[in-house]
Amino acid sequence: MLMEEFVRHSGIAAPILRGNVDTDAIIPSREMKRVSKLGLGEGLFAGWRYLTQETRNPDPQFVLNQDAYRGASILLSGPNFGCGSSREHAVWALKEFGIRAIIAPGFGSIFANNCVRNGVLALEMGDAEIKRIADWVALDAQRNRVLIDLPAQVVEAADVSFPFSVDPGAKRMLVEGLDAIALTQTRWQQISAFHEQRKQLRPWLY
Amino acid sequence: MGLSLFEKLWQEHRVERQDDATDLIYIDRVFLHERTGSIALSSLQADGRDVFYPQQVFCCMDHIVDTYPERSDETTMPSGKDFIVATRSHTRAAGITLFDLDDPRQGIVHVVSPEQGIVQPGMTLVCPDSHTCTQGALGALAWGIGSSEAEHALATKTLRVKKPRTMRVHFDGSLALGVSAKDMILHLIATHGANGGSGYAVEFTGQAVSELDMEARMTLCNMAVEFSAFTGLIAPDEKTVAFLQGRPYAPVGEAWQQAADYWRQLVSDADSIYDCELRVDCTSLEPQVTWGTSPQHATGISGAVPAPGDVDTLERAGREKALAYMDLQVGEPIAGKMLDAAFIGSCTNSRISDLRLAASVLKGRKVAPGLRAICVPGSMLVKAQAEAEGLDKVFIEAGFEWRASGCSMCFFAGGEHFGFQQRVISTTNRNFESRQGPETRTHLASPVMVAASAVRGCITDPREFL
């Protein structure tokens, strides 16, 4: 199954500027109701987004409920975003809501891998730069859009180009929208040979 | 220059290099559970892909199953049955070994796998569950992945993995009475941050680690993910070899000798270099407990709730939110805080040694009036062993509910929970907002501290009972 590509993206960036936003907060377990990757957008940040969980009464204090940030497709956050549970539902929920990229000083490693597998960019940047972008966006979030250029590895905001580094493997997967399984299956001969060799080397494992 | 244990395991499993940062790594064992495994298997099927080597794939029903003594496919979590039924049919179709609800070996994946001898030193093992790092305690390279990665591992017996950097944490000296592996890992995370291990494969070593029994080592490695590490691991020693001997999936006869000889070689070379080294002095370590909503919000039992202003600003925002959520005042001593509930269970602390320690505190005592106390053994075999030793009676007579096995109230999936804003002391691994129930306030601690606190009705230093 081919993945949605991520090349260049311009969008409204919403700030959740604190560290350790965990995947339980991104998608509470109670929102994972079906054996499916779909139907999760409504549960995104449910604990913070709604004042009442049953009737889904939106909390006006929460950034994604504010008119200024309506239509946000980029999140700005603190260190260790997506830490905790491995639930890929966190990425599926973000994606279904319309988030294409998260800019943070660091990510939970399982979350970051899950992003790559779903065409979502987990972009690492220093917290001073992130704060600077957030301050500029806050002046008029609907107009002050953030542009991410993945091939060029720059974020354009506040009339400044912020360079960022990215793992080359992840970049290629995202820019080309590659299916990791199909890509690996082109290495089948090597995998098979390794498998047979390992049976000889560590026979008790088989 | 010598090689670290991690480096040896990585090289042993590298099929080929993909680019400067990424290797194609061969996977020896895959574990699944009904919560995320069901989705991985159904997605694989929808894409018309097969499981390449189902003999080496295992699955547990643990995450959303009920733990009431009389349980069935119907769950208190709405729609839980769909996950159970889908997992059963997909594992059967794929030829995967399933530890089903009615299996006497059923339990939490990271308890079942070592208990059955499925994880062994020198293996790579992955599971779509973040606490897979638990199994690194046996000297395996075991780490948590997402559902898509699980599909990849099932279909190709490999994963494309960015090679982590290496860290070694030395736990020097011996632990004092009443201090445990849980306190070691909470202290490490509190000192270096919940992202302190980010990007690293972390080897735990030192006198205190050598002295831990195998189950305590699993507790230590369990929370490597709470340190944001790629995984945690401990080099196998004679305790590891002895632990595995005679387990159902362990090799036998000549194969056992061959395997054990290999396992004994799996140590870091004396001159191996790590990207980062940390030291923790265990001699002065006291029992730890968390006050906030991240595992890094931990303090010694003699400590007080810290002021948020002591740290940089993004961190401060998190601490201020945590204090409001936990309804705590800056400077308030953590010991003595009144509790509504106590929980013993989860892949962190639900093994027989954990239950024995908790029972040693509870024996002949009662939990405080009005306090709800629950014990959920990590597997049905742990439960049976505890019952053979009479521990169930100790828990029940003290006022604990004695449950069947599962992940239970480690997290709230829409079913059973501790109740709105209830304060719980728990042997689990995550004190995140609403993790154990709607706005439930979780304090993480060791089994002995949970037992002592249940008796007093407030957060209590377990050493007062030992």
Side-chain angles (χ1 to χ4, degrees):
Chain A
M1 201 172 65
L2 278 176
M3 194 175 74
E4 191 182 350
E5 296 166 8
F6 190 108
V7 184
R8 266 169 293 274
H9 177 78
S10 167
I12 295 158
I16 302 181
L17 292 180
R18 54 176 176 273
N20 301 313
V21 172
D22 59 73
T23 53
D24 274 77
I26 298 169
I27 184 84
S29 189
R30 63 175 183 275
E31 299 291 341
M32 296 154 51
K33 292 168 189 158
R34 295 163 53 209
V35 185
S36 171
K37 301 178 180 181
L38 303 172
L40 295 157
E42 206 191 312
L44 180 72
F45 292 118
W48 295 342
R49 199 165 142 204
Y50 307 116
L51 286 168
T52 48
Q53 296 305 316
E54 293 73 25
T55 55
R56 302 277 201 217
N57 182 20
D59 182 348
Q61 298 293 314
F62 185 62
V63 65
L64 294 176
N65 291 331
Q66 292 168 2
D67 281 342
Y69 294 97
R70 192 167 300 279
S73 59
I74 299 168
L75 291 182
L76 303 170
S77 194
N80 214 19
F81 186 93
C83 61
S85 162
S86 66
R87 60 187 71 168
E88 197 161 321
H89 306 68
V91 180
W92 298 328
L94 285 163
K95 200 173 173 189
E96 193 171 302
F97 182 85
I99 301 295
R100 293 299 321 277
I102 304 108
I103 305 180
F107 295 90
S109 69
I110 305 174
F111 176 84
N113 278 330
N114 290 342
C115 283
V116 177
R117 297 285 173 257
N118 289 279
V120 173
L121 177 62
L123 191 161
E124 279 192 39
M125 191 172 273
D127 48 4
E129 286 87 352
I130 291 171
K131 272 193 173 149
R132 192 165 160 201
I133 294 171
D135 287 345
W136 173 74
V137 169
L139 299 174
D140 186 347
Q142 294 290 326
R143 287 181 54 148
N144 290 355
R145 299 201 170 204
V146 172
L147 173 74
I148 300 168
D149 186 332
L150 180 54
Q153 295 184 209
V154 288
V155 172
E156 311 231 347
D159 296 321
V160 179
S161 286
F162 299 90
F164 63 91
S165 54
V166 59
D167 169 51
K171 179 178 174 178
R172 184 175 165 226
M173 301 294 297
L174 286 162
V175 170
E176 297 180 31
L178 295 173
D179 172 4
I181 297 179
L183 191 65
T184 298
Q185 281 173 336
T186 66
R187 314 305 300 160
W188 196 245
Q189 218 179 330
Q190 287 75 8
I191 295 169
S192 255
F194 190 95
H195 179 69
E196 292 308 320
Q197 199 187 345
R198 190 155 174 78
K199 278 185 181 170
Q200 303 301 315
L201 186 67
R202 311 283 178 224
W204 64 87
L205 294 177
Y206 296 85
Chain B
M1 188 185 82
L3 297 176
S4 68
L5 172 59
F6 168 79
E7 195 68 54
K8 289 178 186 180
L9 297 184
W10 191 266
Q11 288 185 9
E12 162 100 5
H13 291 88
R14 179 163 55 206
V15 177
E16 58 178 13
R17 183 157 284 185
Q18 297 305 293
D19 58 51
D20 287 350
T22 309
D23 286 324
L24 190 63
I25 296 293
Y26 183 85
I27 303 300
D28 290 313
R29 298 288 183 273
V30 180
F31 249 101
L32 302 171
H33 59 66
E34 84 284 19
R35 190 64 161 148
T36 56
S38 52
I39 295 178
L41 288 171
S42 62
S43 173
L44 207 58
Q45 192 188 45
D47 291 345
R49 286 168 170 155
D50 293 327
V51 177
F52 168 54
Y53 206 79
Q55 301 93 312
Q56 296 184 341
V57 184
F58 301 84
C59 183
C60 284
M61 296 278 199
D62 59 3
H63 267 60
I64 45 96
V65 301
D66 280 352
T67 56
Y68 299 116
E70 299 299 321
R71 59 180 174 178
S72 68
D73 291 355
E74 302 292 339
T75 60
T76 47
M77 176 213 163
S79 76
K81 186 180 179 181
D82 297 347
F83 290 85
I84 293 172
V85 170
T87 299
R88 192 174 289 140
S89 73
H90 285 306
T91 49
R92 191 173 293 156
I96 292 168
T97 301
L98 172 66
F99 300 103
D100 207 341
L101 264 181
D102 57 357
D103 192 308
R105 302 167 297 176
Q106 181 269 341
I108 306 171
V109 40
H110 312 304
V111 177
V112 170
S113 173
E115 189 170 71
Q116 291 299 314
I118 294 170
V119 62
Q120 295 166 17
M123 273 184 179
T124 47
L125 182 150
V126 295
C127 174
D129 186 279
S130 60
H131 291 109
T132 307
C133 51
T134 310
Q135 304 189 42
L138 286 97
L141 193 55
W143 71 98
I145 55 175
S147 298
S148 297
E149 294 273 79
E151 289 178 46
H152 191 290
L154 291 166
T156 71
K157 220 172 187 311
T158 63
L159 280 176
R160 315 171 76 82
V161 197
K162 184 182 170 187
K163 189 178 178 184
R165 290 167 290 168
T166 55
M167 180 190 285
R168 179 161 60 178
V169 180
H170 304 260
F171 287 98
D172 298 322
S174 293
L175 295 172
L177 186 68
V179 185
S180 67
K182 183 66 160 282
D183 305 303
M184 291 163 66
I185 190 71
L186 282 174
H187 177 70
L188 177 72
I189 297 167
T191 308
H192 296 282
N195 62 349
S198 183
Y200 292 100
V202 181
E203 182 177 349
F204 297 117
T205 184
Q207 188 184 349
V209 175
S210 306
E211 289 174 1
L212 293 176
D213 64 31
M214 289 310 296
E215 296 189 346
R217 292 179 188 182
M218 293 175 209
T219 301
L220 185 67
C221 289
N222 174 269
M223 290 185 69
V225 68
E226 263 50 74
F227 193 43
S228 273
F230 171 79
T231 191
L233 74 166
I234 296 172
D237 59 11
E238 289 309 315
K239 285 184 187 177
T240 318
V241 176
F243 175 88
L244 283 165
Q245 192 155 27
R247 305 249 164 207
Y249 285 86
V252 290
E254 203 179 312
W256 167 262
Q257 272 317 319
Q258 213 180 346
D261 289 347
Y262 169 62
W263 298 342
R264 290 187 174 101
Q265 300 164 26
L266 292 173
V267 290
S268 293
D269 295 333
D271 55 345
S272 52
I273 308 267
Y274 295 79
D275 296 308
C276 176
E277 301 217 37
L278 301 176
R279 300 202 92 94
V280 177
D281 174 20
C282 289
T283 53
S284 58
L285 188 65
E286 60 171 351
Q288 304 284 304
V289 59
T290 63
W291 54 266
T293 55
S294 162
Q296 72 183 7
H297 297 155
T299 174
I301 185 68
S302 65
V305 177
D310 299 336
V311 280
D312 73 62
T313 51
L314 273 183
E315 174 59 25
R316 203 171 97 180
R319 284 191 172 204
E320 280 167 353
K321 196 168 191 302
L323 283 176
Y325 179 89
M326 294 297 289
D327 191 28
L328 293 170
Q329 305 302 317
V330 172
E332 185 177 1
I334 198 71
K337 193 73 196 169
M338 296 303 289
L339 296 163
D340 301 300
F343 182 76
I344 296 175
S346 87
C347 55
T348 318
N349 280 125
S350 63
R351 298 177 181 83
I352 190 68
S353 55
D354 297 314
L355 304 193
R356 284 176 189 145
L357 282 165
S360 72
V361 171
L362 295 172
K363 196 168 173 63
R365 298 190 171 102
K366 300 268 183 214
V367 303
L371 182 128
R372 186 176 182 206
I374 298 171
C375 178
V376 183
S379 73
M380 292 306 275
L381 289 176
V382 170
K383 180 173 183 274
Q385 177 63 32
E387 288 170 356
E389 297 176 20
L391 302 184
D392 56 325
K393 291 191 182 65
V394 174
F395 279 97
I396 292 164
E397 282 165 15
F400 268 77
E401 294 174 41
W402 180 250
R403 297 290 191 94
S405 184
C407 298
S408 185
M409 280 148 73
C410 175
F411 62 90
F412 169 50
E416 231 188 331
H417 60 79
F418 282 105
F420 184 69
Q421 295 189 344
Q422 294 287 289
R423 191 176 297 281
V424 185
I425 191 157
S426 177
T427 65
T428 54
N429 41 52
R430 290 191 175 134
N431 50 354
F432 300 159
E433 284 186 25
S434 299
R435 170 82 177 177
Q436 292 190 294
E439 297 189 31
T440 298
R441 295 162 178 156
T442 300
H443 295 273
L444 304 176
S446 68
V448 279
M449 193 191 289
V450 171
S453 303
V455 169
R456 286 274 168 80
C458 62
I459 297 177
T460 298
D461 188 337
R463 293 172 297 188
E464 294 170 27
F465 287 81
L466 299 172

